Amino acid sequence: MDTRVPRISDAEWEVMKVLWSHSPLTANEVVKALEGSKEWNPKTVRTLIKRLVEKEAVACNPDGRNYLYEPLVREEECVRSETTSLLKRIYGGAMKPMLVNFLKDEQLTKEDIADLKAILEQRRE
């Protein structure tokens, strides 16, 4: 696991998704972006942003009377880090049991299956 990728809580992940899709943003813009999907008050969102800055997941740059926030870590890095953490925590680091469990429970389309076969074929080469 990449040690420079900070551990991000589920709530912080929601803030990061906003910043990954549109940044830099002010805290008010992040609050507004989350209004429709989350029932958080603005203070909660600001607290989450502050935590992400402290974890060095988000940069805080002065812009006149406001601060602009932007991610310091890429979404792909965080996804990879979370996947590795889950794999180690739940499956002892073994990929096959996780995939088998996922594939048994998931409703896959023919297209999904074809994509998975193509990925496995690429890995074999």
Side-chain angles (χ1 to χ4, degrees):
M1 181 160 60
D2 192 340
T3 54
R4 58 187 193 100
V5 177
R7 295 280 303 160
I8 297 173
S9 72
D10 291 346
E12 292 165 346
W13 196 270
E14 295 301 316
V15 172
M16 290 300 293
K17 285 195 279 189
V18 169
L19 292 171
W20 282 321
S21 64
H22 306 90
S23 68
L25 294 174
T26 65
N28 285 337
E29 291 169 327
V30 175
V31 167
K32 207 169 223 151
L34 289 168
E35 270 179 353
S37 64
K38 296 294 172 193
E39 305 265 333
W40 296 332
N41 71 41
K43 187 175 181 178
T44 300
V45 176
R46 284 180 172 74
T47 298
L48 293 170
I49 293 169
K50 181 180 177 220
R51 286 184 193 159
L52 288 165
V53 170
E54 289 169 356
K55 291 179 178 185
E56 298 181 359
V58 170
C60 174
N61 302 307
D63 182 47
R65 293 180 51 185
N66 293 309
Y67 288 94
L68 292 175
Y69 299 94
E70 60 185 319
L72 290 173
V73 290
R74 293 188 341 243
E75 184 174 10
E76 298 80 20
E77 291 173 313
C78 290
V79 168
R80 189 176 307 113
S81 178
E82 286 296 315
T83 302
T84 301
S85 174
L86 171 76
L87 191 63
K88 285 180 181 175
R89 222 175 38 251
I90 307 296
Y91 297 98
M95 178 69 73
K96 184 178 175 183
M98 183 184 80
L99 286 173
V100 169
N101 191 43
F102 171 75
L103 293 172
K104 283 194 315 192
D105 294 341
E106 195 64 29
Q107 297 294 320
L108 298 173
T109 65
K110 287 182 180 182
E111 185 178 294
D112 292 336
I113 293 169
D115 290 346
L116 289 170
K117 283 181 179 179
I119 291 168
L120 290 172
E121 201 55 46
Q122 285 176 338
R123 294 288 302 208
R124 187 175 6 178
E125 297 169 4

